[in-house]
Amino acid sequence: MSKDKTMEPMTGDTVETDGIYANEAGQEVTLKRGDEFPADLVLGRTTWELQGFADEAEIDHDQTELNPLRKRVDTRT
């Protein structure tokens, strides 16, 4: 019996990490953080496993999307 208590994300859950995910049927999709895990056409609700990071995925390590943009003040007069 496995002692690993973590659960794979399910259809309808929110994606936390940009990357390429595969479901139980082997279907692969590229998802970005904030997306919703899709349902499979045959299986319906399914689990998803991270296969790797997508080349085109831009990882926002500083989480700048959560910080409002600051206006730049020109101090030169």
Side-chain angles (χ1 to χ4, degrees):
M1 179 191 281
S2 174
K3 294 191 185 250
D4 184 13
K5 302 286 185 197
T6 60
M7 293 181 60
E8 298 294 337
M10 297 283 299
T11 296
D13 289 347
T14 302
V15 176
E16 294 181 7
T17 305
D18 297 349
I20 301 169
Y21 291 85
N23 67 9
E24 299 168 60
Q27 173 193 5
E28 289 189 347
V29 293
T30 301
L31 299 170
K32 292 189 175 247
R33 183 173 60 190
D35 289 346
E36 188 176 286
F37 286 101
D40 184 76
L41 295 175
V42 176
L43 299 174
R45 189 165 165 84
T46 184
T47 58
W48 293 89
E49 183 177 351
L50 180 64
Q51 300 298 303
F53 297 108
D55 294 335
E56 65 274 7
E58 295 177 17
I59 300 173
D60 185 14
H61 293 287
D62 298 325
Q63 296 183 341
T64 54
E65 68 183 25
L66 303 176
N67 299 328
L69 292 176
R70 294 184 184 176
K71 291 184 180 178
R72 212 167 237 225
V73 177
D74 188 3
T75 57
R76 296 175 284 160
T77 53

